[in-house]
């Protein structure tokens, strides 16, 4: 009963086999190998146009390097107050951005609304050169609370940001889960909606460690090869990153995996609701946030269930009482029906 994180699953067989296959023989290094071009072509296919893409091994590196392309040397990025870039990356954004700054915006379910963005744009100090210049907006898809921005919502937010002179970054650590949930194309919820640069996650979807920084606004990509190298994120044995991304995208393994994770989350959510458990947020991707009673929490833990508490801001249900626990359950491509059923049996 492991629901602690989608990082708790191993790598999916397609990716693992591709890495093993890539292990034989010699290869050019540092992204000069042929497989790197093939991975780029797959990314172009998925996004239905030519893009500049760069592979790195963690989501934090993808976000921090991508945002540094927008903000360096000293710009401000607006983001949700509970976003991973703001709360969970140990200042990597500011570090790689040469002391750039993140400013949080409130919003239900980890999402920023057009009204909240407009209001914040009015409030943020803009007296130059005394204030730091506003440079970016970072949106998380799917959000940290498991909700998805629709293509329409993204278009509205991107328009507001672009009109204010900001570039838009998307933290897509769970981008595949959002595409699967919304039943749209990758293009529709990225560049067609106005996103300028995307951190496209593969790790949570079934890779070992691989994310792509994808530039739709080519002007932002100009110095990126230097930024990645200087930041220590140009892999020498880059073929192993290429192999992962190639296998992840080929035959739409990424979508198959995301659909499975989402389906497990839907099953968990529906059954919990039927059992009278309320959920902190609607379930749109692969995360479920039930409010458990003390007794349920204790019993589940005794039976070995693994999950973590969640700090419930911007909830879509009544807040937990003193003796209740809001927790986060994350499903992955490897979550089984049996795991979900075993959890439900203890409720
Ligand atoms: C929303 C979000 N962005 C990015 C990441 C990537 O983080 P990491 O650097 O651990 O790969 C995570 C991982 O938990 C995440 O949840």
């Amino acid at each position: 009963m492991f629901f602690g994180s989608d990082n708790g699953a191993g790598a999916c067989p397609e990716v693992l086999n591709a890495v093993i296959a890539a292990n034989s023989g010699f290869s050019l290094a540092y992204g000069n190998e042929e497989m790197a071009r093939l991975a780029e072509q797959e990314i172009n296919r998925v996004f239905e146009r030519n893009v500049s893409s760069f592979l790195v091994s963690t989501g934090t590196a993808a976000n921090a390097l991508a945002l540094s392309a927008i903000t360096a040397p000293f710009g401000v990025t607006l983001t949700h107050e509970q976003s991973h870039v703001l709360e969970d990356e140990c200042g990597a954004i500011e570090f790689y951005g040469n002391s750039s700054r993140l400013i949080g915006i409130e919003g239900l379910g980890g999402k920023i609304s057009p009204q909240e963005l407009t209001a914040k744009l009015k409030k943020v100090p803009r007296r130059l050169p005394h204030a730091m210049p506003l440079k970016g907006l970072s949106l998380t898809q799917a959000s940290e609370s498991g909700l998805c921005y629709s293509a329409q919502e993204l278009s509205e937010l991107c328009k507001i940001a672009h009109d204010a002179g900001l570039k838009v970054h998307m933290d897509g650590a769970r981008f595949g889960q959002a595409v699967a949930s919304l039943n749209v194309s990758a293009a529709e919820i990225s560049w067609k909606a106005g996103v300028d640069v995307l951190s496209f996650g593969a790790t949570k979807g079934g890779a070992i460690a691989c994310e792509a920084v994808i530039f739709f606004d080519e002007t932002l990509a100009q110095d990126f090869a230097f930024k990645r190298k200087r930041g220590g994120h140009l892999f020498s044995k880059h073929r192993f990153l290429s192999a992962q991304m190639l296998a992840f995208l080929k035959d739409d393994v990424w979508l198959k995996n995301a659909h499975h994770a989402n389906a497990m989350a839907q099953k968990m959510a529906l059954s919990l609701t039927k059992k009278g458990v309320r959920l902190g947020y609607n379930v749109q991707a692969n995360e479920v946030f039930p409010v458990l009673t003390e007794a349920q929490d204790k019993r589940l833990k005794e039976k070995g269930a693994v999950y973590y508490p969640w700090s419930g801001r911007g909830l879509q249900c009544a807040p937990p009482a003193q003796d209740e626990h809001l927790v986060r359950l994350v499903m992955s491509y490897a979550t089984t029906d049996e795991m979900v059923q075993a959890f439900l049996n203890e409720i």
Side-chain angles (χ1 to χ4, degrees), residues 145 265-274 276-284 287-292 314-320 326-327 329 343-344:
S145 305
Q266 283 302 328
K267 178 181 168 153
M268 179 71 97
L270 283 174
S271 306
L272 283 172
T273 309
K274 272 196 201 142
V277 177
R278 65 188 195 281
L279 303 181
Y281 308 102
N282 296 332
V283 175
Q284 294 179 344
E287 295 175 287
V288 184
F289 296 85
V291 179
L292 300 179
L315 286 180
Q316 293 176 316
C317 74
L326 176 71
V327 304
L329 311 177
F343 186 95
L344 292 166

Side-chain angles (χ1 to χ4, degrees), residues 5-7 57-63 82-85 88-89 140-145 171-174 199 201 203-204 209-211 287 310 328:
S5 162
D6 23 21
N7 293 328
S57 59
T58 72
T60 299
N63 286 339
Q82 269 191 300
S83 65
H84 201 268
V85 290
D88 299 296
E89 298 188 354
T140 311
Q141 178 79 313
S143 85
E144 283 75 4
S145 305
D171 175 351
R174 297 187 180 89
S199 303
T203 309
K204 291 181 194 300
C210 186
E211 319 274 310
E287 295 175 287
W310 191 251
R328 183 184 81 155

Side-chain angles (χ1 to χ4, degrees), residues 199-221:
S199 303
F200 174 79
T203 309
K204 291 181 194 300
I208 299 169
C210 186
E211 319 274 310
V213 180
I214 301 177
F215 289 96
F216 305 111
D217 179 339
E218 295 284 334
T219 60
L220 294 174

Side-chain angles (χ1 to χ4, degrees), residues 52 59 64 78 81 119 155 160 167 244 258 271 281 287 290:
S52 292
L78 301 178
E81 60 167 6
S155 299
I160 295 168
K167 299 284 186 190
Q244 289 179 69
S271 306
Y281 308 102
E287 295 175 287

Side-chain angles (χ1 to χ4, degrees), residues 4 19 34 41 43 63 76 85 93 124 136 138 152 195 198 224 227 238 247 334 346:
V19 168
E34 199 188 326
Q41 281 165 22
I43 292 174
N63 286 339
V76 173
V85 290
I93 307 299
V124 171
S138 179
Q152 174 63 32
V195 173
L198 168 69
F224 198 78
K227 287 195 166 79
H238 189 278
E346 302 304 330

